[in-house]
Every structure is written in structure tokens, then in C-alpha cells.
Amino acid sequence: MPIRLSERRPEVSPDRLLSECVPPPRFAGVRFDTYRPNPDEPSQSEALAVLRQRGLALAEPRRERSVWSRLRGAKALSASKPGFYLDGGFGVGKTHLLASLWHESAGPKMYCTFVELTNLVGALGMRPAVEALSAYRLICIDEFELDDPGDTVLISRLLGQLVEAGVELAATSNTLPDKLGEGRFQATDFLREIQGLAAHFDVRRIDGPDYRHRGLPVAPEPWADGRVEETAASIAGASCDHFVDLYRQLAELHPSKYGALLDGVTTVGITDIRELTDENVALRLVVLADRMYDRDIPLVAGGVPLDRMFTPEMLKGGYRKKYLRALSRLIALAHVGMPPAS
């Protein structure tokens, strides 16, 4: 009998949230030496070289700061900016490079997505979060995005205090730091916070085509719902849910629990996928897609093709980059779970 994600009620403690702040299984084995720059995209080799250099510095044991340097704040540490920011499109290897930097660095260190970081602060509270995270030498933040004014103020305060404590930052995003929030809320009203965030980072642009779709440009043909159910029933640890049941369940859970929702799941089956019209539902499914991709969980799906799950209006709107990333990842997982007949 397949697992029903729609019937699970996971609970996640703050301690678990902290302990899971490491690169996901998909990136547990990556290193700088395993990154293969596209020879037609010199920015990839340049980013690799710069991050290798930063990794060498972070591999050295951490030096304790003097009382005077702590009083003077982060400016006493280095003339360079405390953060490094990789900006680029989907599937060009930004996360590979970020995880490689984490692996090369001496601890204490932390790795999380932007959503996981905001969830962690929400679970701990700002002051306990600052106290806990100030102990890290390096914090890597994947998929840095600002979706609302609350996130902007929260992250601005958090990173400002962490930089003051001497924490080094590394981040990836599909948006330049001074453009965060554009198209999603009135970013001009929060320009000071956004500029403050941007000031923490040296930015490196990395270009190239989405490697996940080289040779896989379109979504696989959806299966009949009966085939999805039968396949899920035949795989140990597989889940199978009706699309509506699944997204209703996601509405009942805090996004910090979506990873725990997938505990022990080897394949995700979804029947009767439909085109979405509610942006709240769509954004929750983006987070679930990220957690599935982190865990490298194959997908088997029925209903409309995956590339029709988000409306054309959504793919042109302020969250288009989120939706395109989710499609890129879901299609990659579907090609694993639904290989073409040989």
C-alpha cells in the first residue's frame, strides 16, 4: 500500500532544523573537482577559480577574534566583503559550487536554502537564532529570494547581526541582490534594507544553459492515473496522492515541515495533476519540489503535463523564476521516475 503524504502530520523540532542544515543528499558528494565548467561559458570557470580561492582560506582553522576586533565589528576582519553571491540562471551549477565551498571549509558551518533559513528564524525567534547562528564561521544560503516585505526586514536584520559577529556568507540566487523583491512587492519602499543586504556581498555572475534540460527540453508524457497508482504500489516506500489532496495537505503544514513530510519516501506518485490558478497553492508546490529535488526523489505523475501545471500568467509574473526552477526540477525527477519505454 503506498504512503499517503496527505495523511501524514510531521512534527519538526528546532534542533532538527539546525541539525539538517547541511547540503542535501544530492550534493553530499560534490566537490570543486567534480564541477565541469561549460567551455563555451567562461564565467563558469571564473566562478570556480574564485570560489576555490575562497575555499582555501576557509579551510584554514578559524582564528579567534580579539576583543578589539569584536568591538570594531566585521570591518576589522577583512577589507573585502563578508559575503559571496553567485547570480545566474537555472541549472548552471551554482548549487554545486556553493555545496563544494561548504565541503572545503572548516567548521563550524551551516548550509540551507533561503526558505529554510527564514523558517528556522521563525521557529527559534530572532534573538535565539542570532545567538545560535553567530557560532558559525560560514553560512551558505541557496536560492536567496525575497518574496515579501516581512522577509526583507527579517533577513536584513539577521544577516546584519551575523556579519557583525564575524560570520562569512555565501549565497546563490537567480536575481541580483539589489533587484531582490522586484515584481513581488513594492521593493522601493524597502530599498534601504535591500541595499543593505546587497552591501554584504561580492557578486559573481555565472551564465550557461540549464544542464538539467540538455537533451531533456520537455516534460515526459503523463501516465494514466491507474498506472501511477500501480507503479507506486509496486515500489517499497513510494507515496501516491491525488493532486488536490496533496496541495490541501500542504496548506495545513508549515513549509519547514515539507522535508519531514518526505521522510522515508523513495518515489512520489501524484495523480490527476491540474493547471493551477491559485498562486498560494503554486508557491507551496514550489517548496515541495525543492525538497524532493534535494532528496533526489523520482516522480511519477498523471494528469496534465508538468509544464502546464503553472498558468502562462504565472510564468510571466513576479514569481516566474520560482516556477521555472520548480518545473526544471520536477521534469528532471519525472524523467528518472518515468523513463521512456525502450
Side-chain angles (χ1 to χ4, degrees):
M1 184 73 177
I3 296 165
R4 301 293 182 191
L5 299 181
S6 54
E7 296 175 359
R8 287 187 158 189
R9 298 293 184 272
E11 292 297 330
V12 182
S13 69
D15 286 343
R16 174 172 174 175
L17 291 176
L18 277 171
S19 69
E20 292 181 341
C21 288
V22 298
R26 171 180 284 272
F27 296 100
V30 302
R31 298 294 186 274
F32 289 131
D33 287 342
T34 64
Y35 182 72
R36 298 289 179 264
N38 186 332
D40 297 326
E41 300 291 347
S43 62
Q44 295 186 12
S45 295
E46 292 166 5
L48 174 61
V50 171
L51 278 178
R52 275 188 186 275
Q53 192 65 31
R54 199 161 190 129
L56 288 174
L58 286 167
E60 296 296 323
R62 185 179 194 176
R63 295 180 181 178
E64 291 299 321
R65 302 172 66 195
S66 67
V67 173
W68 175 242
S69 69
R70 287 196 296 271
L71 288 173
R72 292 177 62 198
K75 292 181 181 178
L77 292 179
S78 171
S80 65
K81 293 184 179 182
F84 189 87
Y85 191 102
L86 274 180
D87 171 67
F90 311 103
V92 295
K94 301 188 305 294
T95 300
H96 185 134
L97 290 172
L98 185 70
S100 297
L101 178 66
W102 186 92
H103 286 301
E104 290 290 327
S105 303
K109 54 190 178 180
M110 173 180 169
Y111 183 105
C112 60
T113 65
F114 179 81
V115 170
E116 288 168 335
L117 181 62
T118 56
N119 291 340
L120 180 65
V121 177
L124 296 178
M126 176 59 77
R127 181 177 293 180
V130 171
E131 292 175 356
L133 302 186
S134 293
Y136 292 98
R137 182 185 188 187
L138 170 70
I139 295 180
C140 295
I141 309 168
D142 200 16
E143 300 160 10
F144 200 107
E145 297 174 289
L146 296 180
D147 295 334
D148 60 61
D151 279 351
T152 303
V153 175
L154 181 147
I155 292 299
S156 178
R157 288 179 56 200
L158 176 69
L159 296 190
Q161 292 182 64
L162 294 181
V163 167
E164 193 71 17
V167 179
E168 295 200 40
L169 307 171
T172 71
S173 181
N174 303 311
T175 306
L176 289 168
D178 61 351
K179 303 297 183 183
L180 289 162
E182 286 190 355
R184 281 163 277 188
F185 63 90
Q186 193 64 26
T188 54
D189 291 343
F190 295 86
L191 189 59
R192 184 174 63 180
E193 285 82 2
I194 292 171
Q195 289 177 336
L197 286 169
H200 295 317
F201 296 102
D202 284 323
V203 179
R204 176 72 58 167
R205 175 73 188 180
I206 181 169
D207 298 304
D210 185 338
Y211 80 90
R212 287 185 296 266
H213 282 183
R214 293 172 193 164
L216 301 176
V218 297
E221 193 69 24
W223 287 358
D225 287 345
R227 184 181 179 188
V228 173
E229 294 168 347
E230 290 172 4
T231 299
S234 70
I235 300 173
S239 70
C240 189
D241 293 86
H242 190 278
F243 188 56
V244 174
D245 292 338
L246 179 59
Y247 71 62
R248 286 177 176 169
Q249 163 72 336
L250 296 180
E252 298 295 321
L253 296 176
H254 190 275
S256 65
K257 299 179 180 180
Y258 289 9
L261 186 69
L262 297 167
D263 283 352
V265 175
T266 58
T267 297
V268 168
I270 306 175
T271 60
D272 196 19
I273 289 178
R274 306 172 183 184
E275 184 179 74
L276 295 169
T277 57
D278 187 324
E279 198 127 59
N280 291 318
V281 174
L283 290 171
R284 293 184 194 111
L285 284 162
V286 168
V287 178
L288 182 67
D290 288 341
R291 300 292 79 78
M292 288 173 58
Y293 186 76
D294 288 346
R295 291 157 177 77
D296 208 12
I297 301 176
L299 171 67
V300 292
V304 303
L306 291 169
D307 51 14
R308 285 173 44 198
M309 187 169 67
F310 303 119
T311 65
E313 291 74 22
M314 289 179 179
L315 296 178
K316 296 175 183 177
Y319 297 106
R320 64 180 299 273
K321 291 182 179 180
K322 279 180 174 286
Y323 298 140
L324 290 172
R325 184 185 73 228
L327 288 179
S328 173
R329 293 180 166 187
L330 288 173
I331 289 171
L333 295 175
H335 276 287
V336 176
M338 304 160 64
S342 57

